[in-house]
Every structure is written in C-alpha cells, then in structure tokens.
Amino acid sequence: MITIYHNPRCTKSREGLHNIEKSKKPFQVRNYYTNLFTETELIDVLHKLDIKPIELVRTKEKIWIDNFKNKAVTDEEIIAALLIYPQLIERPIIVFGKKAVIARPLEKIKKLNL
C-alpha cells in the first residue's frame, strides 16, 4: 500500500497525489495536519526516508526562523518541533514498503518503483 502524507493546501502535495492517482495502485492519503504524526510514526518515516530530522524541516517557514534558526537543536528537539508544528514538515512524503521519498521534485517518486 502506498501512503502519501499530504497537505491539501500545498500545490506540490496536490501534484504528488495526482501522480499517485495516475499509478492506479492502491493508496491511502494522510492529511498530517488533521491526522497528526505520532513520535513513533515520524521516526519511522525518517528512517524510511534515510534522512536526518533537519532534512525534513521547511527552514524558510516563519515558525522555524523565529524559534529555531541559528540555535543548536538536537535531533530530538527537531522531531518535537515537527510534531508541534506540522507546517514545518516538507511535503509531500510518499511511503511505499520500507522506502519513502519527499516528492520534491515529483521525479523522486520514481525511486519507489511504483
């Protein structure tokens, strides 16, 4: 099953969803604004993405700039921030099996061999 962690207000996220719909494969949509990540889920996604927490952060968001920019933050503190402020999470995230990609650009979806 394909899962797309989706923000319906984001153009790139909507494009990612459209791409998944075209695949004709079963998928589920998870709006992570209304159905928030748990800490365990977020850590699992980070492992599937094979990235550090900071690589999932939208560092140009005002919340990040005002509260975290130029501060020494640990991975645990970044994860906590992502759980509190889901708008900081880069999107869309597409998970298939044990792998995941941040579909920016959309061509990254091909890495999942859907």
Side-chain angles (χ1 to χ4, degrees), residues 4-80:
I4 178 169
Y5 292 91
H6 178 59
N7 173 358
R9 296 184 335 188
C10 172
T11 301
K12 294 295 181 188
S13 196
R14 289 192 307 267
E15 290 172 358
L17 177 58
H18 180 70
N19 197 292
I20 296 299
E21 290 169 335
K22 289 191 318 186
S23 78
K24 304 285 189 211
K25 296 194 175 170
F27 67 93
Q28 61 184 0
V29 177
R30 168 105 176 252
N31 180 335
Y32 62 89
Y33 274 70
T34 58
N35 187 359
L36 301 175
F37 278 100
T38 66
E39 182 177 4
T40 301
E41 289 170 329
L42 186 57
I43 291 169
D44 182 56
V45 167
L46 286 165
H47 286 295
K48 289 177 180 178
L49 287 166
D50 194 28
I51 62 173
K52 296 278 189 193
I54 190 64
E55 295 174 76
L56 191 57
V57 175
R58 298 172 55 85
T59 57
K60 294 181 182 175
E61 289 286 333
K62 183 172 177 19
I63 290 170
W64 183 262
I65 293 167
D66 291 349
N67 297 294
F68 304 102
K69 186 177 179 180
N70 299 322
K71 294 182 181 175
V73 289
T74 65
D75 286 350
E76 292 77 19
E77 291 169 327
I78 294 169
I79 289 169

Side-chain angles (χ1 to χ4, degrees), residues 89-101:
I89 298 173
E90 192 64 75
R91 60 209 175 236
I93 302 168
I94 300 171
V95 178
F96 183 59
K98 295 183 180 185
K99 293 186 178 185
V101 295

